[in-house]
Amino acid sequence: KNQVEQSPQSLIILEGKNCTLQCNYTVSPFSNLRWYKQDTGRGPVSLTIMTFSENTKSNGRYTATLDADTKQSSLHITASQLSDSASYICVVTPGENTGFQKLVFGTGTRLLVSP
Amino acid sequence: GAGVSQTPSNKVTEKGKYVELRCDPISGHTALYWYRQSLGQGPEFLIYFQGTGAADDSGLPNDRFFAVRPEGSVSTLKIQRTERGDSAVYLCASSSGRGHLSDTQYFGPGTRLTVL
């Protein structure tokens, strides 16, 4: 069964600190992996996308890594800001030809950045 | 429009009632998705439209759920005889529909449905 697991479930850090969120997946075949940010009461917004041939992708203070061999990804947030408080969801696109993106979502990590 | 919009933002209904949830995708996007997100969980796929047709409705939990997209733009998710277990946030997303697996899905803010 295609699954995406994330850890930790929740995290509290002080403003200005760095943090790393983890994602393990069992989706196969694999096409790409995204990290989404979801603010409370809003829809998810894509932060990064990586295919199996990419092992790192940055978007400002967000850096995602991918190890396709171990099926692990991480999202590193540098110099956290209060506005980083949100849920971060790891999303994998299976590579089978379903004709559309049947995304597999993780349950998310809820990050709280404290002043 | 500039983004995906959904109405209403909140809907409270009584058990057994019928509800309709509306999604306006980004203009020109041919692919439209509905998801359901329960508290503390990631979104779960419900149904996918390419143009006017429901290309995959395998995520709909039962026959009380139905969705339409008659003109290939706005979509309505319809839930009959609502049950308390239907309470969740219903998210809509759209993408260009080019068929690339790297196409980005843009999500709306969701409709929070509460069934009393």
Side-chain angles (χ1 to χ4, degrees):
Chain A
K1 180 181 177 183
N2 287 338
Q3 286 187 313
V4 177
E5 296 183 349
Q6 294 186 240
S7 63
Q9 189 173 25
S10 61
L11 182 63
I12 302 174
I13 62 173
L14 291 175
E15 186 179 10
K17 297 296 185 182
N18 304 335
C19 66
T20 301
L21 314 180
Q22 302 291 343
C23 173
N24 297 322
Y25 62 92
T26 60
V27 179
S28 182
F30 166 88
S31 174
N32 59 67
L33 183 147
R34 296 177 189 274
W35 283 91
Y36 275 86
K37 178 186 179 186
Q38 185 173 23
D39 292 308
T40 300
R42 309 294 297 272
V45 175
S46 181
L47 294 175
T48 63
I49 176 174
M50 292 177 290
T51 64
F52 68 90
S53 61
E54 298 175 290
N55 54 27
T56 187
K57 184 69 69 76
S58 291
N59 178 3
R61 294 180 297 101
Y62 301 104
T63 299
T65 65
L66 173 65
D67 185 334
D69 291 331
T70 61
K71 294 184 168 56
Q72 295 180 325
S73 176
S74 66
L75 180 69
H76 186 75
I77 305 175
T78 304
S80 60
Q81 300 176 358
L82 298 179
S83 59
D84 292 332
S85 296
S87 288
Y88 292 84
I89 306 175
C90 177
V91 185
V92 177
T93 303
E96 66 251 20
N97 183 17
T98 62
F100 71 104
Q101 299 175 340
K102 200 162 187 178
L103 304 181
V104 183
F105 290 80
T107 56
T109 291
R110 183 176 294 275
L111 174 66
L112 176 62
V113 179
S114 175
Chain B
V4 178
S5 62
Q6 293 186 244
T7 55
S9 56
N10 280 285
K11 176 70 177 178
V12 180
T13 189
E14 294 180 343
K15 180 175 179 293
K17 299 292 187 182
Y18 168 82
V19 296
E20 289 189 352
L21 312 179
R22 176 187 169 108
C23 171
D24 279 85
I26 292 173
S27 178
H29 279 187
T30 60
L32 185 146
Y33 302 77
W34 282 99
Y35 296 89
R36 180 166 69 175
Q37 186 173 24
S38 300
L39 189 64
Q41 302 294 314
E44 292 179 300
F45 168 80
L46 294 177
I47 187 170
Y48 158 70
F49 287 90
Q50 179 61 257
T52 60
D56 189 307
D57 62 359
S58 61
L60 294 178
N62 51 60
D63 61 6
R64 295 186 299 104
F65 288 75
F66 189 70
V68 296
R69 195 186 185 197
E71 298 178 357
S73 178
V74 171
S75 176
T76 304
L77 178 65
K78 308 180 181 191
I79 309 174
Q80 298 177 319
R81 303 183 304 281
T82 52
E83 300 177 356
R84 293 192 179 88
D86 298 335
S87 297
V89 174
Y90 289 82
L91 292 168
C92 175
S94 71
S95 70
S96 66
R98 289 189 299 265
H100 300 166
L101 292 176
S102 59
D103 281 353
T104 295
Q105 292 187 25
Y106 296 88
F107 285 81
T111 292
R112 180 176 297 279
L113 175 66
T114 303
V115 181
L116 301 177

Short mmCIF file of all heavy atoms in Angstrom, two decimals, chain A residues 10-63:
data_model
loop_
_atom_site.label_atom_id
_atom_site.label_comp_id
_atom_site.label_asym_id
_atom_site.label_seq_id
_atom_site.Cartn_x
_atom_site.Cartn_y
_atom_site.Cartn_z
N SER A 10 4.33 16.96 15.75
CA SER A 10 4.29 18.39 16.05
C SER A 10 5.62 18.83 16.62
O SER A 10 6.39 18.00 17.13
CB SER A 10 3.15 18.72 17.03
OG SER A 10 3.36 18.04 18.25
N LEU A 11 5.87 20.12 16.52
CA LEU A 11 7.18 20.66 16.88
C LEU A 11 7.04 22.12 17.30
O LEU A 11 6.31 22.87 16.62
CB LEU A 11 8.13 20.54 15.69
CG LEU A 11 9.58 21.00 15.84
CD1 LEU A 11 10.29 20.15 16.88
CD2 LEU A 11 10.28 20.88 14.49
N ILE A 12 7.68 22.48 18.39
CA ILE A 12 7.71 23.88 18.82
C ILE A 12 9.16 24.34 18.84
O ILE A 12 10.01 23.68 19.47
CB ILE A 12 7.08 24.06 20.22
CG1 ILE A 12 5.64 23.56 20.23
CG2 ILE A 12 7.13 25.53 20.64
CD1 ILE A 12 5.01 23.57 21.61
N ILE A 13 9.46 25.44 18.18
CA ILE A 13 10.82 25.98 18.19
C ILE A 13 10.77 27.48 18.44
O ILE A 13 9.74 28.13 18.24
CB ILE A 13 11.57 25.70 16.86
CG1 ILE A 13 10.85 26.38 15.68
CG2 ILE A 13 11.71 24.22 16.63
CD1 ILE A 13 11.63 26.30 14.39
N LEU A 14 11.89 28.03 18.88
CA LEU A 14 11.97 29.47 19.09
C LEU A 14 12.27 30.18 17.77
O LEU A 14 12.99 29.66 16.92
CB LEU A 14 13.07 29.78 20.11
CG LEU A 14 12.79 29.35 21.56
CD1 LEU A 14 14.00 29.62 22.44
CD2 LEU A 14 11.55 30.04 22.11
N GLU A 15 11.71 31.35 17.66
CA GLU A 15 11.95 32.19 16.49
C GLU A 15 13.45 32.36 16.26
O GLU A 15 14.23 32.59 17.21
CB GLU A 15 11.30 33.55 16.70
CG GLU A 15 11.36 34.48 15.51
CD GLU A 15 10.68 35.81 15.79
OE1 GLU A 15 10.34 36.07 16.96
OE2 GLU A 15 10.50 36.58 14.85
N GLY A 16 13.87 32.19 15.00
CA GLY A 16 15.28 32.33 14.65
C GLY A 16 16.03 31.02 14.59
O GLY A 16 17.12 30.95 14.00
N LYS A 17 15.46 29.98 15.21
CA LYS A 17 16.12 28.67 15.21
C LYS A 17 15.83 27.92 13.92
O LYS A 17 14.89 28.24 13.18
CB LYS A 17 15.66 27.83 16.40
CG LYS A 17 16.03 28.43 17.74
CD LYS A 17 17.54 28.51 17.93
CE LYS A 17 17.88 29.00 19.34
NZ LYS A 17 19.36 29.14 19.52
N ASN A 18 16.64 26.89 13.67
CA ASN A 18 16.44 26.01 12.52
C ASN A 18 15.70 24.76 12.95
O ASN A 18 15.70 24.40 14.13
CB ASN A 18 17.78 25.59 11.91
CG ASN A 18 18.65 26.78 11.52
OD1 ASN A 18 18.14 27.87 11.26
ND2 ASN A 18 19.95 26.56 11.49
N CYS A 19 15.07 24.09 11.98
CA CYS A 19 14.45 22.80 12.29
C CYS A 19 14.42 21.94 11.03
O CYS A 19 14.57 22.44 9.90
CB CYS A 19 13.03 22.97 12.82
SG CYS A 19 11.85 23.64 11.65
N THR A 20 14.26 20.63 11.24
CA THR A 20 14.20 19.67 10.15
C THR A 20 13.03 18.74 10.35
O THR A 20 12.86 18.16 11.42
CB THR A 20 15.51 18.87 10.05
OG1 THR A 20 16.61 19.75 9.84
CG2 THR A 20 15.44 17.88 8.88
N LEU A 21 12.23 18.61 9.31
CA LEU A 21 11.07 17.73 9.33
C LEU A 21 11.36 16.52 8.44
O LEU A 21 12.02 16.65 7.41
CB LEU A 21 9.83 18.47 8.80
CG LEU A 21 9.60 19.89 9.36
CD1 LEU A 21 8.34 20.49 8.75
CD2 LEU A 21 9.55 19.89 10.86
N GLN A 22 10.84 15.36 8.84
CA GLN A 22 11.18 14.12 8.15
C GLN A 22 9.97 13.51 7.45
O GLN A 22 8.83 13.66 7.89
CB GLN A 22 11.73 13.09 9.13
CG GLN A 22 12.97 13.53 9.90
CD GLN A 22 14.20 13.66 9.00
OE1 GLN A 22 14.24 13.13 7.90
NE2 GLN A 22 15.21 14.39 9.48
N CYS A 23 10.25 12.81 6.36
CA CYS A 23 9.22 12.13 5.59
C CYS A 23 9.77 10.81 5.07
O CYS A 23 10.85 10.79 4.48
CB CYS A 23 8.76 13.02 4.43
SG CYS A 23 7.63 12.24 3.26
N ASN A 24 9.05 9.73 5.32
CA ASN A 24 9.39 8.41 4.77
C ASN A 24 8.21 7.95 3.92
O ASN A 24 7.05 8.12 4.32
CB ASN A 24 9.63 7.38 5.89
CG ASN A 24 10.81 7.76 6.75
OD1 ASN A 24 11.81 8.24 6.26
ND2 ASN A 24 10.69 7.53 8.04
N TYR A 25 8.50 7.36 2.78
CA TYR A 25 7.41 6.94 1.92
C TYR A 25 7.65 5.53 1.39
O TYR A 25 8.79 5.06 1.32
CB TYR A 25 7.21 7.92 0.75
CG TYR A 25 8.40 8.04 -0.17
CD1 TYR A 25 8.51 7.25 -1.32
CD2 TYR A 25 9.42 8.97 0.08
CE1 TYR A 25 9.59 7.37 -2.17
CE2 TYR A 25 10.50 9.09 -0.77
CZ TYR A 25 10.59 8.29 -1.88
OH TYR A 25 11.67 8.41 -2.72
N THR A 26 6.55 4.88 1.03
CA THR A 26 6.65 3.54 0.45
C THR A 26 6.05 3.51 -0.94
O THR A 26 5.81 2.44 -1.49
CB THR A 26 5.95 2.50 1.34
OG1 THR A 26 4.56 2.86 1.44
CG2 THR A 26 6.56 2.44 2.72
N VAL A 27 5.76 4.71 -1.48
CA VAL A 27 5.12 4.80 -2.79
C VAL A 27 6.06 4.29 -3.88
O VAL A 27 7.19 4.73 -3.99
CB VAL A 27 4.73 6.27 -3.09
CG1 VAL A 27 4.09 6.37 -4.47
CG2 VAL A 27 3.79 6.80 -2.01
N SER A 28 5.54 3.39 -4.69
CA SER A 28 6.34 2.84 -5.80
C SER A 28 5.40 2.40 -6.92
O SER A 28 4.37 1.76 -6.63
CB SER A 28 7.17 1.65 -5.30
OG SER A 28 7.98 1.15 -6.35
N PRO A 29 5.68 2.68 -8.16
CA PRO A 29 6.79 3.53 -8.60
C PRO A 29 6.60 4.98 -8.19
O PRO A 29 5.50 5.41 -7.87
CB PRO A 29 6.74 3.38 -10.13
CG PRO A 29 5.31 3.08 -10.43
CD PRO A 29 4.83 2.24 -9.29
N PHE A 30 7.69 5.70 -8.21
CA PHE A 30 7.72 7.06 -7.67
C PHE A 30 7.96 8.04 -8.82
O PHE A 30 8.77 7.80 -9.69
CB PHE A 30 8.86 7.13 -6.65
CG PHE A 30 9.27 8.51 -6.23
CD1 PHE A 30 8.64 9.13 -5.17
CD2 PHE A 30 10.28 9.18 -6.89
CE1 PHE A 30 9.02 10.39 -4.76
CE2 PHE A 30 10.67 10.45 -6.50
CZ PHE A 30 10.04 11.05 -5.42
N SER A 31 7.22 9.15 -8.80
CA SER A 31 7.43 10.19 -9.81
C SER A 31 8.10 11.41 -9.19
O SER A 31 9.17 11.82 -9.64
CB SER A 31 6.11 10.60 -10.46
OG SER A 31 6.33 11.69 -11.33
N ASN A 32 7.45 12.01 -8.21
CA ASN A 32 8.04 13.17 -7.57
C ASN A 32 7.53 13.33 -6.15
O ASN A 32 6.55 12.68 -5.75
CB ASN A 32 7.77 14.45 -8.38
CG ASN A 32 6.30 14.73 -8.56
OD1 ASN A 32 5.59 15.03 -7.61
ND2 ASN A 32 5.83 14.62 -9.79
N LEU A 33 8.21 14.17 -5.40
CA LEU A 33 7.84 14.42 -4.01
C LEU A 33 7.78 15.92 -3.80
O LEU A 33 8.67 16.66 -4.24
CB LEU A 33 8.87 13.80 -3.06
CG LEU A 33 8.59 13.91 -1.55
CD1 LEU A 33 9.14 12.66 -0.83
CD2 LEU A 33 9.16 15.17 -0.94
N ARG A 34 6.73 16.36 -3.17
CA ARG A 34 6.55 17.78 -2.87
C ARG A 34 6.44 17.98 -1.36
O ARG A 34 5.96 17.10 -0.64
CB ARG A 34 5.26 18.32 -3.48
CG ARG A 34 5.18 18.30 -4.97
CD ARG A 34 3.81 18.80 -5.40
NE ARG A 34 3.58 18.62 -6.82
CZ ARG A 34 3.94 19.46 -7.75
NH1 ARG A 34 4.55 20.58 -7.40
NH2 ARG A 34 3.71 19.23 -9.02
N TRP A 35 6.83 19.15 -0.93
CA TRP A 35 6.49 19.62 0.40
C TRP A 35 5.49 20.76 0.23
O TRP A 35 5.72 21.69 -0.56
CB TRP A 35 7.73 20.09 1.15
CG TRP A 35 8.55 18.97 1.68
CD1 TRP A 35 9.60 18.34 1.06
CD2 TRP A 35 8.41 18.33 2.96
NE1 TRP A 35 10.11 17.35 1.86
CE2 TRP A 35 9.40 17.32 3.03
CE3 TRP A 35 7.55 18.51 4.04
CZ2 TRP A 35 9.56 16.50 4.15
CZ3 TRP A 35 7.71 17.70 5.15
CH2 TRP A 35 8.70 16.71 5.20
N TYR A 36 4.39 20.66 0.97
CA TYR A 36 3.37 21.70 0.98
C TYR A 36 3.34 22.35 2.36
O TYR A 36 3.55 21.69 3.38
CB TYR A 36 1.98 21.11 0.71
CG TYR A 36 1.59 20.93 -0.73
CD1 TYR A 36 1.94 19.77 -1.42
CD2 TYR A 36 0.84 21.88 -1.41
CE1 TYR A 36 1.56 19.59 -2.75
CE2 TYR A 36 0.45 21.70 -2.73
CZ TYR A 36 0.81 20.56 -3.39
OH TYR A 36 0.44 20.38 -4.69
N LYS A 37 3.03 23.64 2.38
CA LYS A 37 2.78 24.36 3.63
C LYS A 37 1.30 24.67 3.70
O LYS A 37 0.71 25.17 2.72
CB LYS A 37 3.58 25.67 3.66
CG LYS A 37 3.35 26.50 4.91
CD LYS A 37 4.05 27.85 4.81
CE LYS A 37 3.79 28.68 6.06
NZ LYS A 37 4.35 30.06 5.92
N GLN A 38 0.69 24.35 4.85
CA GLN A 38 -0.73 24.63 5.02
C GLN A 38 -0.94 25.48 6.26
O GLN A 38 -0.79 25.00 7.39
CB GLN A 38 -1.56 23.35 5.11
CG GLN A 38 -3.06 23.59 5.15
CD GLN A 38 -3.89 22.32 5.06
OE1 GLN A 38 -3.42 21.24 5.38
NE2 GLN A 38 -5.14 22.45 4.62
N ASP A 39 -1.29 26.74 6.05
CA ASP A 39 -1.63 27.61 7.16
C ASP A 39 -3.01 27.23 7.68
O ASP A 39 -3.85 26.71 6.93
CB ASP A 39 -1.62 29.07 6.72
CG ASP A 39 -0.22 29.57 6.38
OD1 ASP A 39 0.67 29.41 7.23
OD2 ASP A 39 -0.03 30.12 5.28
N THR A 40 -3.26 27.53 8.94
CA THR A 40 -4.55 27.19 9.54
C THR A 40 -5.68 27.83 8.75
O THR A 40 -5.66 29.03 8.47
CB THR A 40 -4.59 27.67 11.00
OG1 THR A 40 -3.53 27.03 11.72
CG2 THR A 40 -5.91 27.30 11.64
N GLY A 41 -6.66 27.02 8.38
CA GLY A 41 -7.81 27.53 7.65
C GLY A 41 -7.56 27.83 6.18
O GLY A 41 -8.41 28.44 5.52
N ARG A 42 -6.43 27.41 5.68
CA ARG A 42 -6.12 27.65 4.26
C ARG A 42 -5.82 26.34 3.56
O ARG A 42 -5.59 25.30 4.20
CB ARG A 42 -4.90 28.58 4.15
CG ARG A 42 -4.98 29.86 4.96
CD ARG A 42 -6.08 30.77 4.45
NE ARG A 42 -5.85 31.23 3.09
CZ ARG A 42 -5.16 32.33 2.82
NH1 ARG A 42 -4.63 33.06 3.77
NH2 ARG A 42 -5.02 32.72 1.55
N GLY A 43 -5.80 26.38 2.23
CA GLY A 43 -5.41 25.20 1.48
C GLY A 43 -3.90 25.07 1.42
O GLY A 43 -3.17 26.04 1.63
N PRO A 44 -3.39 23.88 1.14
CA PRO A 44 -1.93 23.67 1.04
C PRO A 44 -1.34 24.45 -0.13
O PRO A 44 -1.96 24.60 -1.17
CB PRO A 44 -1.80 22.16 0.82
CG PRO A 44 -3.10 21.58 1.24
CD PRO A 44 -4.14 22.62 0.96
N VAL A 45 -0.10 24.91 0.07
CA VAL A 45 0.64 25.64 -0.96
C VAL A 45 1.96 24.92 -1.20
O VAL A 45 2.69 24.62 -0.25
CB VAL A 45 0.90 27.10 -0.54
CG1 VAL A 45 1.77 27.80 -1.58
CG2 VAL A 45 -0.41 27.85 -0.37
N SER A 46 2.27 24.65 -2.46
CA SER A 46 3.49 23.90 -2.79
C SER A 46 4.74 24.73 -2.50
O SER A 46 4.84 25.88 -2.91
CB SER A 46 3.45 23.49 -4.26
OG SER A 46 4.61 22.75 -4.61
N LEU A 47 5.70 24.13 -1.79
CA LEU A 47 6.98 24.79 -1.49
C LEU A 47 8.09 24.32 -2.43
O LEU A 47 8.84 25.12 -2.97
CB LEU A 47 7.40 24.49 -0.05
CG LEU A 47 6.55 25.06 1.09
CD1 LEU A 47 7.06 24.54 2.42
CD2 LEU A 47 6.55 26.58 1.05
N THR A 48 8.21 23.00 -2.56
CA THR A 48 9.28 22.43 -3.38
C THR A 48 8.76 21.19 -4.08
O THR A 48 7.81 20.56 -3.63
CB THR A 48 10.50 22.01 -2.54
OG1 THR A 48 10.11 20.98 -1.63
CG2 THR A 48 11.10 23.18 -1.78
N ILE A 49 9.40 20.84 -5.19
CA ILE A 49 9.12 19.58 -5.88
C ILE A 49 10.45 18.98 -6.31
O ILE A 49 11.34 19.71 -6.79
CB ILE A 49 8.19 19.76 -7.10
CG1 ILE A 49 8.00 18.44 -7.84
CG2 ILE A 49 8.70 20.86 -8.03
CD1 ILE A 49 6.98 18.49 -8.96
N MET A 50 10.57 17.67 -6.12
CA MET A 50 11.80 16.97 -6.52
C MET A 50 11.42 15.67 -7.23
O MET A 50 10.55 14.94 -6.75
CB MET A 50 12.67 16.64 -5.31
CG MET A 50 13.28 17.85 -4.64
SD MET A 50 14.23 17.41 -3.19
CE MET A 50 12.90 16.91 -2.10
N THR A 51 12.10 15.41 -8.33
CA THR A 51 11.97 14.11 -8.98
C THR A 51 13.02 13.16 -8.40
O THR A 51 13.89 13.59 -7.62
CB THR A 51 12.17 14.22 -10.50
OG1 THR A 51 13.51 14.66 -10.75
CG2 THR A 51 11.20 15.24 -11.08
N PHE A 52 13.00 11.89 -8.82
CA PHE A 52 13.89 10.90 -8.23
C PHE A 52 15.36 11.22 -8.50
O PHE A 52 16.24 10.77 -7.79
CB PHE A 52 13.56 9.50 -8.75
CG PHE A 52 13.86 9.29 -10.19
CD1 PHE A 52 15.11 8.83 -10.60
CD2 PHE A 52 12.92 9.57 -11.17
CE1 PHE A 52 15.39 8.63 -11.95
CE2 PHE A 52 13.20 9.39 -12.50
CZ PHE A 52 14.44 8.92 -12.90
N SER A 53 15.63 12.01 -9.53
CA SER A 53 17.01 12.30 -9.89
C SER A 53 17.58 13.52 -9.15
O SER A 53 18.76 13.82 -9.26
CB SER A 53 17.13 12.54 -11.39
OG SER A 53 16.34 13.65 -11.77
N GLU A 54 16.71 14.20 -8.40
CA GLU A 54 17.16 15.38 -7.65
C GLU A 54 17.32 15.02 -6.19
O GLU A 54 16.47 14.31 -5.64
CB GLU A 54 16.15 16.52 -7.79
CG GLU A 54 15.97 16.99 -9.22
CD GLU A 54 14.87 18.02 -9.33
OE1 GLU A 54 13.69 17.66 -9.16
OE2 GLU A 54 15.20 19.20 -9.61
N ASN A 55 18.34 15.52 -5.54
CA ASN A 55 18.48 15.21 -4.12
C ASN A 55 18.40 16.44 -3.24
O ASN A 55 18.45 16.31 -2.00
CB ASN A 55 19.76 14.42 -3.84
CG ASN A 55 20.99 15.12 -4.37
OD1 ASN A 55 21.01 16.34 -4.49
ND2 ASN A 55 22.01 14.35 -4.69
N THR A 56 18.27 17.62 -3.79
CA THR A 56 18.04 18.80 -2.98
C THR A 56 17.38 19.88 -3.80
O THR A 56 17.60 19.99 -5.01
CB THR A 56 19.37 19.32 -2.37
OG1 THR A 56 19.07 20.37 -1.44
CG2 THR A 56 20.29 19.83 -3.44
N LYS A 57 16.54 20.66 -3.13
CA LYS A 57 15.85 21.77 -3.79
C LYS A 57 15.58 22.84 -2.74
O LYS A 57 15.10 22.51 -1.65
CB LYS A 57 14.54 21.27 -4.40
CG LYS A 57 13.75 22.29 -5.20
CD LYS A 57 14.43 22.68 -6.48
CE LYS A 57 14.47 21.59 -7.50
NZ LYS A 57 13.14 21.40 -8.17
N SER A 58 15.89 24.07 -3.07
CA SER A 58 15.70 25.16 -2.12
C SER A 58 14.65 26.15 -2.59
O SER A 58 14.48 26.36 -3.80
CB SER A 58 17.03 25.90 -1.88
OG SER A 58 17.94 25.09 -1.18
N ASN A 59 13.98 26.75 -1.64
CA ASN A 59 13.01 27.81 -1.89
C ASN A 59 13.13 28.79 -0.73
O ASN A 59 12.49 28.63 0.29
CB ASN A 59 11.60 27.23 -1.98
CG ASN A 59 10.54 28.30 -2.19
OD1 ASN A 59 10.86 29.49 -2.32
ND2 ASN A 59 9.29 27.89 -2.26
N GLY A 60 14.02 29.77 -0.91
CA GLY A 60 14.25 30.72 0.18
C GLY A 60 14.86 30.03 1.37
O GLY A 60 15.89 29.36 1.27
N ARG A 61 14.20 30.16 2.53
CA ARG A 61 14.72 29.55 3.75
C ARG A 61 14.36 28.07 3.88
O ARG A 61 14.70 27.43 4.86
CB ARG A 61 14.19 30.33 4.96
CG ARG A 61 14.71 31.77 5.04
CD ARG A 61 14.15 32.50 6.25
NE ARG A 61 12.69 32.64 6.17
CZ ARG A 61 11.83 31.88 6.83
NH1 ARG A 61 12.27 30.93 7.65
NH2 ARG A 61 10.54 32.07 6.69
N TYR A 62 13.64 27.55 2.90
CA TYR A 62 13.25 26.14 2.90
C TYR A 62 14.18 25.35 1.99
O TYR A 62 14.37 25.72 0.84
CB TYR A 62 11.81 25.97 2.39
CG TYR A 62 10.76 26.71 3.18
CD1 TYR A 62 10.20 27.89 2.69
CD2 TYR A 62 10.32 26.23 4.40
CE1 TYR A 62 9.23 28.56 3.41
CE2 TYR A 62 9.34 26.89 5.12
CZ TYR A 62 8.79 28.07 4.62
OH TYR A 62 7.84 28.73 5.33
N THR A 63 14.74 24.25 2.51
CA THR A 63 15.56 23.35 1.70
C THR A 63 15.07 21.93 1.88
O THR A 63 15.02 21.43 3.01
CB THR A 63 17.04 23.43 2.09
OG1 THR A 63 17.52 24.77 1.88
CG2 THR A 63 17.87 22.47 1.23
#
